[in-house]
Structure formats: structure tokens, C-alpha cells
Amino acid sequence: HFRRNQRRRAQMEMQSSIEVGDDIVTTAGIYGTITEIDDDYGIVTVEIAPGVEVRLARAAVATRLTDDEEFEDEVEGAEPGS
């Protein structure tokens, strides 16, 4: 239980520390950039393609990508159709 709680706490801390401009991956595997954060409702707006934004629960953010190269490497390495 201790490790599970540690992971859960770390995930929650990451989700609460995301900022506009951060590159993220959602729990559904969608890559995008945070464009707006509504702290009152726990909603983030994510640009997933130029001019295409979706609104998600903050809890749907699985990972914050900390380096632009990391984001590009992940996208380039993605399998077609995934």
C-alpha cells in the first residue's frame, strides 16, 4: 500500500503543478499542450493539433513532458495507428 500511495501522491502533485505551455500526455494517450487551466473546476484545455483544443479533467493528465526533444522523440517513435 505504501508504494501505491506514494505513486498516487506523486501523480497528484504533478497534476497540480502543470502550467500553461506544458507538453503533456493524457491517460488516453493523447499528446498536447496546456493552453488554459481552470482551477475552480479542475479543468485543463489542451491543444492537440493546431487550432484544435479539448477540455479535460486535470486528473486526465498522465504525464508532463519536461523537454521538447522528449515530446518530439515520443511522437516520432509512435507506431502508426497508435
Side-chain angles (χ1 to χ4, degrees):
H1 290 289
F2 179 72
R3 284 188 179 167
R4 188 178 325 144
N5 288 338
Q6 249 184 338
R7 282 192 300 260
R8 185 178 306 138
R9 185 175 305 121
Q11 181 77 9
M12 290 174 66
E13 287 174 8
M14 180 277 301
Q15 290 168 342
S16 65
S17 70
I18 57 174
E19 298 177 350
V20 171
D22 285 349
D23 291 322
I24 58 104
V25 180
T26 70
T27 55
I30 299 171
Y31 288 74
T33 303
I34 302 287
T35 59
E36 186 178 335
I37 298 173
D38 184 340
D39 284 322
D40 293 335
Y41 294 99
I43 295 173
V44 295
T45 303
V46 180
E47 184 176 47
I48 57 174
V52 180
E53 294 184 332
V54 294
R55 292 177 44 171
L56 305 167
R58 186 185 286 263
V61 176
T63 306
R64 175 177 42 192
L65 303 174
T66 56
D67 187 329
D68 286 343
E69 291 178 33
E70 191 176 318
F71 181 78
E72 291 171 7
D73 290 345
E74 296 255 353
V75 173
E76 289 174 9
E79 292 293 321
S82 63

